[in-house]
Amino acid sequence: PKTDIVFLKVHKSASSTVMNILFRFGETHNLTFAFPIGGGNQLFYPHHFLARFVQGFSPRSPRQFNILCHHMRFLQPEVQKVVSSSAVYFSILRNPVQLMESSFMYYKGTSAFSHVHSLEEFLSQPYHYYNATKSDSHYARNLMTFDFGFNPNGEVSAERVQLMLKAIEVSFDLLLISEYFDESMVLLKEMLCWDLDSVVSFPLNIRDSSTKSPLSDTMVEKIKDWNRLDWEIYTHFNRTFWERINRDIGRERMQREVKALRQRQAELARTCLQGMGSVSPKDIKDSSLRPLQHGNAKILGYNLKQGLDKETEHVCRRLVTPELQYSSTLYKKQFPQKPP
């Protein structure tokens, strides 16, 4: 199994679920994580990543870490200072239409969105509300482009788009697609030579459907236009994703693998969860399993079954522990406080 990994955690793209998979694998195999200085969950985002943002890194005696997966704005020369040269790089993308709708709910308090009542209102005259010089403006336009390190307000010329796609292809070994999450996990498992249980997960950091609203065709087109760079990234890598499946795995085997993954997930849900599925934040009984609530989104979580034996409880708990709590636990384990 490969143990040196860089995951670019793109916002609002099922990336918290992927992070849980990496946390569990890292914990099981005693791997080290490139944590932000002082813990925390972001590597000084939205600044471009620098090696000195990592706890325990020093230019005099550079130390390499196994897994880099916390939120960052990608800058490869700096990333290379903290991971092995053989590290596998991957990320995950999401359809920019749904991504924008999700961002609007989740980052409602940001400068671009705070003065509008709806996404429609914002898109009817975006430049009235959007100011590219504001430090949080990236949440409102071409968020994936931004996370990959590029200028979200750059012109959309064919040449520039090609350069951007090429740069991503050169840096990343695999780009997953969140709309095809199970297929993505099969590809990831193959690339990393991991077993099935390492990539099984329950969806984390997901919103209650009551806060989701359907989008009209006009809105969809407006979102695509406003996020044209993201749209170019997404459509290109959605295509290469399926080309890769056809080339390396084949559709039939992929169907079998996805079926096995879903069966294992259902089996774990039956073993671990009360009521088989996610519940709203107010119904989560164990406060340590309650995810952070953000913006106008209502983030769901899980209840574990009572009376599980110790080992099963441990497995189940790790599957449903929200990102911030899990990150904090691993940080304390990797950097134990020295007693005064």
Side-chain angles (χ1 to χ4, degrees):
K2 297 200 167 60
T3 52
D4 291 320
I5 295 160
V6 174
F7 171 54
L8 177 63
K9 187 174 187 293
V10 170
H11 286 76
K12 314 276 29 95
S13 304
S15 55
S16 296
T17 309
V18 178
M19 203 165 180
N20 176 272
I21 288 169
L22 294 173
F23 280 167
R24 282 170 13 226
F25 187 86
E27 186 182 17
T28 307
H29 295 83
N30 265 330
L31 304 178
T32 56
F33 289 88
F35 283 107
I37 283 179
N41 61 325
Q42 301 200 339
L43 289 149
F44 291 82
Y45 186 86
H47 298 286
H48 273 105
F49 175 81
L50 295 174
R52 62 181 170 83
F53 296 163
V54 173
Q55 177 87 45
F57 174 82
S58 123
R60 289 183 301 286
S61 53
R63 177 179 165 200
Q64 292 187 332
F65 300 86
N66 298 114
I67 300 179
L68 173 59
C69 62
H70 286 71
H71 271 309
M72 63 169 159
R73 188 172 183 205
F74 190 65
L75 186 60
Q76 194 162 16
E78 288 290 317
V79 168
Q80 286 166 333
K81 294 177 186 176
V82 297
V83 294
S84 133
S85 57
S86 61
V88 174
Y89 287 68
F90 78 100
S91 185
I92 187 163
L93 304 172
R94 183 181 184 186
N95 185 318
V97 175
Q98 279 70 49
L99 180 80
M100 174 124 203
E101 189 272 333
S102 176
S103 280
F104 183 78
M105 293 302 293
Y106 206 81
Y107 302 115
K108 186 71 183 70
T110 57
S111 60
F113 294 151
S114 58
H115 298 297
V116 289
H117 297 296
S118 65
L119 192 49
E120 281 92 334
E121 193 184 332
F122 174 80
L123 287 163
S124 64
Q125 39 178 2
Y127 285 108
H128 187 72
Y129 307 105
Y130 176 83
N131 177 349
T133 62
K134 289 277 203 291
S135 63
D136 60 2
S137 67
H138 54 281
Y139 290 118
R141 188 178 202 189
N142 289 317
L143 182 50
M144 294 192 287
T145 302
F146 183 87
D147 285 353
F148 276 95
F150 304 105
N151 174 10
N153 296 294
E155 54 150 355
V156 190
S157 65
E159 186 187 16
R160 195 164 172 279
V161 166
Q162 281 314 306
L163 284 169
M164 187 171 71
L165 297 175
K166 199 81 217 132
I168 295 173
E169 271 173 350
V170 167
S171 301
F172 288 84
D173 300 289
L174 177 64
L175 286 153
L176 307 174
I177 302 290
S178 64
E179 284 79 11
Y180 304 104
F181 192 80
D182 294 339
E183 290 84 351
S184 291
M185 291 306 101
V186 172
L187 277 183
L188 187 65
K189 170 174 86 75
E190 294 284 308
M191 184 179 72
L192 298 174
C193 307
W194 288 7
D195 61 10
L196 181 71
D197 267 19
S198 298
V199 297
V200 169
S201 62
F202 296 143
L204 295 176
N205 206 27
I206 53 167
R207 272 191 302 157
D208 180 30
S209 55
S210 70
T211 64
K212 294 179 185 171
S213 45
L215 300 165
S216 68
D217 293 351
T218 322
M219 277 288 287
V220 168
E221 289 313 313
K222 280 184 174 176
I223 294 175
K224 283 186 203 171
D225 282 341
W226 177 246
N227 297 283
R228 181 54 61 186
L229 292 170
D230 271 11
W231 183 250
E232 295 287 349
I233 291 176
Y234 178 78
T235 49
H236 175 82
F237 288 108
N238 185 22
R239 196 180 66 245
T240 58
F241 176 83
W242 290 102
E243 284 167 3
R244 183 168 185 149
I245 288 174
N246 293 334
R247 186 188 69 223
D248 296 353
I249 294 185
R251 296 282 173 119
E252 277 183 32
R253 184 173 149 226
M254 178 53 89
Q255 279 178 332
R256 288 198 303 274
E257 295 266 359
V258 165
K259 190 177 169 193
L261 182 67
R262 287 175 182 163
Q263 281 171 341
R264 182 67 182 126
Q265 184 189 19
E267 192 184 321
L268 281 164
R270 281 193 297 274
T271 305
C272 297
L273 304 179
Q274 277 181 34
M276 290 290 288
S278 48
V279 295
S280 85
K282 67 176 193 327
D283 297 325
I284 300 169
K285 299 184 181 78
D286 179 343
S287 61
S288 71
L289 296 178
R290 201 170 288 143
L292 174 76
Q293 301 299 313
H294 205 292
N296 288 354
K298 199 154 123 195
I299 309 299
L300 305 175
Y302 296 92
N303 284 316
L304 290 180
K305 275 189 177 159
Q306 300 296 300
L308 298 170
D309 66 80
K310 205 171 168 186
E311 198 178 324
T312 310
E313 208 267 349
H314 180 66
V315 169
C316 294
R317 179 169 288 275
R318 288 163 61 204
L319 277 161
V320 300
T321 299
E323 178 186 327
L324 302 188
Q325 288 93 311
Y326 207 154
S327 183
S328 161
T329 303
L330 293 174
Y331 177 79
K332 287 174 189 146
K333 199 168 153 186
Q334 190 168 311
F335 298 102
Q337 289 289 306
K338 296 176 182 63

